[in-house]
Amino acid sequence: MQNTITKEIASHPSVKRMDSRISWKNRWDHITARVGANRAGYRVEPGLYAIGAPDSGSPVLVTANYTLSFDALRSSVKGISAYILVLDTFGVNVWCAAAKGAFSANELISRIESVSLKDVVSHRCLILPQLSGPGVAAGLVKKKSGFRVEFGPVRA
């Protein structure tokens, strides 16, 4: 299921705005996904999202396009202005996608280029979930994109 609360940010056309609040509709969707209803369609569109009012110095957090992963991250940064870079993991969560090769250095590098991240932020640091570690070669990301990878907490 696609989140529908997005709109373009005027400063850069590839950035979509997203609220950090989880609505009752989102919560109901989480329940239906956990019981298996339309689980394959429970995805967020890959791309770059703005939470709050980020600027060129705001952190860039990376996650999978599985809606539960995306919603867990966006709700945990309430009150913080940040960017969320969503990789195309075919609707699979971070840990499983890393093991299957979908949450990978190549997908991360490709997504950095497709959203023109160098034009959006002035720093060159990405914060990835710890559970993505087995799938991401941080040295390759740095070499090919110029962005340094840091691993954040397991939850969120």
Side-chain angles (χ1 to χ4, degrees), residues 2-147:
Q2 297 283 339
N3 271 307
T4 57
I5 317 172
T6 61
K7 64 179 179 180
E8 230 176 65
I9 289 183
S11 63
H12 199 278
S14 69
V15 182
K16 300 170 203 87
R17 175 138 339 254
M18 180 62 72
D19 195 339
S20 64
R21 292 173 300 189
I22 304 297
S23 69
W24 285 109
K25 182 183 180 321
N26 296 137
R27 292 186 193 285
W28 178 251
D29 289 343
H30 295 175
I31 292 167
T32 60
R34 290 194 183 273
V35 297
N38 192 27
R39 190 166 182 113
Y42 206 62
R43 303 174 186 195
V44 174
E45 182 182 347
L48 188 61
Y49 294 80
I51 303 291
D55 58 24
S56 64
S58 296
V60 178
L61 312 169
V62 183
T63 193
N65 75 327
Y66 179 51
T67 302
L68 288 175
S69 298
F70 178 78
D71 285 350
L73 177 59
R74 76 180 172 110
S75 66
S76 71
V77 296
K78 188 175 182 176
I80 298 172
S81 292
Y83 292 102
I84 298 179
L85 182 62
V86 178
L87 304 186
D88 187 0
T89 60
F90 309 101
V92 176
N93 68 55
V94 171
W95 191 23
C96 293
K100 292 180 177 184
F103 198 115
S104 67
N106 289 331
E107 169 59 17
L108 180 55
I109 293 162
S110 173
R111 196 62 51 197
I112 289 167
E113 292 171 4
S114 72
V115 301
S116 303
L117 192 57
K118 287 183 177 183
D119 297 336
V120 177
V121 294
S122 58
H123 61 81
R124 297 294 178 259
C125 180
L126 304 171
I127 302 171
L128 278 67
Q130 240 178 61
L131 294 177
S132 69
V136 178
L140 181 62
V141 174
K142 174 74 173 165
K143 180 179 178 182
K144 296 232 175 179
S145 71
F147 280 85

